[in-house]
C-alpha cells in the first residue's frame, strides 16, 4: 500500500482516483488470499532484503524527482525548506520532518489564498 500511495503522489498527473481504488481493492483481496492460504510465510522467506531496499530506493528516487520538479516553480520556498531542515537536522525536540510538514501546510494555505 505504501508503494501505491507513493506512486500516486509521485505521479499525480498520470494516476487517476479509479486506478488507486482498483489497486487498493486488488491489493486487499490479494493479501487476504495470501493470509488465508499461508503463502505470506513463503513470500517472506524468498523475498530478500536487497529486493525490499531496491523497491524503497526506486520509490525514494521518484519522490526526489517529483520534489525537484515542484521546486522549480517556487525556488524561494524550496530554499526555505532546505534551510529549515539544516537547522533542525539534529534537534531532538522538534523533528525536522515534522517542521517541514508544517512549513508545507502553511505554504499550501498561503498559495491557495492568492
Amino acid at each position: 500500500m505504501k508503494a501505491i500511495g507513493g506512486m500516486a503522489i509521485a505521479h499525480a498527473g498520470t494516476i487517476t482516483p479509479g486506478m488507486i481504488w482498483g489497486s487498493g481493492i486488488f491489493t486487499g483481496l490479494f493479501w487476504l488470499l495470501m493470509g488465508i492460504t499461508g503463502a505470506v510465510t513463503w513470500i517472506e522467506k524468498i523475498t530478500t532484503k536487497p529486493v525490499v531496499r531496491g523497491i524503497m530506493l526506486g520509490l525514494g528516487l521518484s519522490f526526489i524527482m517529483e520534489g525537484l520538479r515542484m521546486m522549480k516553480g517556487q525556488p524561494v520556498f524550496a530554499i526555505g525548506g532546505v534551510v529549515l531542515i539544516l537547522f533542525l537536522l539534529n534537534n531532538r525536540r522538534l523533528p525536522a520532518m515534522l517542521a517541514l510538514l508544517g512549513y508545507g501546510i502553511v505554504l499550501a494555505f498561503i498559495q491557495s489564498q492568492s
Side-chain angles (χ1 to χ4, degrees):
M1 293 304 293
K2 286 182 185 179
I4 293 168
M7 291 305 288
I9 292 169
H11 302 288
T14 58
I15 297 180
T16 65
M19 295 168 91
I20 296 169
W21 272 89
S23 61
I25 290 170
F26 175 79
T27 303
L29 292 173
F30 174 80
W31 287 113
L32 178 66
L33 179 67
M34 290 294 161
I36 290 171
T37 62
V40 172
T41 307
W42 177 74
I43 291 173
E44 179 186 9
K45 288 178 185 176
I46 65 167
T47 306
T48 61
K49 284 187 180 181
V51 170
V52 174
R53 289 182 180 152
I55 292 169
M56 290 171 52
L57 177 64
L59 193 55
L61 291 174
S62 291
F63 280 138
I64 289 171
M65 296 304 292
E66 182 67 17
L68 290 172
R69 187 188 64 75
M70 293 170 82
M71 286 191 296
K72 282 183 185 176
Q74 298 292 338
V76 174
F77 294 155
I79 292 169
V82 170
V83 169
L84 181 67
I85 286 179
L86 290 176
F87 278 126
L88 296 174
L89 201 53
N90 293 320
N91 190 330
R92 293 188 183 265
R93 291 185 182 197
L94 180 62
M97 190 64 217
L98 186 61
L100 188 62
L101 181 63
Y103 179 72
I105 290 170
V106 169
L107 289 179
F109 181 73
I110 290 170
Q111 285 183 335
S112 71
Q113 297 301 317
S114 41

